[in-house]
Amino acid sequence: DRDTDKKRIEELLEENMVLEIAQKQSMNESAHLGWELEQLSKSTDLADTRKSFVFELNECASSRILKLEKDNQSLQNTIQELRDASLTSRESSLKFVELEKENQQLSKKIEKLQNQIEKEKQSNQDLETLSEELIKDKEQLQVVMETQKADTDRQVQTFQMQ
């Protein structure tokens, strides 16, 4: 039983390490995506590019959160299995407590990631709104320029006729 418990604990520790690595990769990718979004916002073709990028970013982030939640649920199930098995050894109890702490930390990290994604979504919506407003302003300026040009052309024609 102890060997089985030790093996299971080692598996859980490995699983936890994999989750931590995946989370770090996710955070790095999120930061990189943020940087890419910033670079894209500097380009002149903002409207179409931003919309597809925002959608892609949201999909990617949601996918990562679902994966982390699934892994977290798997850890919770494992912890419950360990509880149900009524492990009595001191070492197993310590590992169990350690795994519970790690599980709580993962839950907090997931919550932070969800909050960060919500902030990014809001920021992206704000940027999209700003982009739409800028496009409207540009269109209005073009209309004003065309009107001014037509007025100027008429004045030139009137002057030439006199």
Side-chain angles (χ1 to χ4, degrees):
D1 284 344
R2 284 187 179 184
D3 288 342
T4 304
D5 292 344
K6 284 181 183 179
K7 286 180 183 177
R8 185 66 184 147
I9 288 170
E10 288 175 6
E11 289 173 4
L12 289 173
L13 288 173
E14 285 179 26
E15 214 172 301
N16 228 358
M17 288 173 56
V18 168
L19 283 174
E20 287 179 10
I21 290 170
Q23 180 189 8
K24 287 178 183 177
Q25 288 175 342
S26 174
M27 291 175 74
N28 287 340
E29 288 177 18
S30 179
H32 181 71
L33 288 173
W35 177 83
E36 286 182 7
L37 179 61
E38 184 178 280
Q39 296 303 311
L40 284 174
S41 69
K42 293 178 182 177
S43 72
T44 56
D45 196 16
L46 289 175
D48 294 335
T49 305
R50 183 175 294 127
K51 286 179 183 178
S52 65
F53 184 74
V54 167
F55 178 76
E56 200 174 306
L57 175 65
N58 289 339
E59 289 294 316
C60 185
S62 296
S63 164
R64 285 192 196 109
I65 284 179
L66 289 175
K67 185 175 187 278
L68 286 173
E69 286 176 344
K70 182 179 176 185
D71 292 341
N72 190 22
Q73 185 63 39
S74 173
L75 280 175
Q76 288 176 344
N77 290 340
T78 303
I79 288 172
Q80 188 59 43
E81 288 173 8
L82 290 174
R83 276 187 191 145
D84 294 343
S86 298
L87 299 175
T88 55
S89 73
R90 176 83 172 134
E91 184 178 304
S92 295
S93 296
L94 291 175
K95 290 292 183 181
F96 175 75
V97 169
E98 184 180 317
L99 286 173
E100 275 189 331
K101 286 180 183 178
E102 288 179 26
N103 190 24
Q104 289 174 353
Q105 289 173 348
L106 280 174
S107 294
K108 288 178 183 178
K109 288 178 182 178
I110 287 173
E111 188 176 325
K112 285 180 183 178
L113 280 174
Q114 286 174 330
N115 288 337
Q116 182 182 356
I117 286 173
E118 286 303 318
K119 287 178 184 177
E120 287 179 7
K121 282 181 182 179
Q122 184 60 44
S123 175
N124 288 337
Q125 287 175 350
D126 292 345
L127 286 173
E128 191 172 328
T129 302
L130 178 61
S131 175
E132 289 170 1
E133 289 173 4
L134 288 172
I135 289 171
K136 286 178 185 177
D137 287 348
K138 178 183 173 186
E139 290 170 356
Q140 288 175 351
L141 286 172
Q142 285 176 337
V143 168
V144 168
M145 280 179 38
E146 289 171 8
T147 304
Q148 288 290 332
K149 186 174 189 254
D151 287 347
T152 304
D153 289 345
R154 269 191 307 235
Q155 287 176 356
V156 167
Q157 285 178 351
T158 303
F159 183 73
Q160 287 176 350
M161 291 175 75
Q162 292 177 353

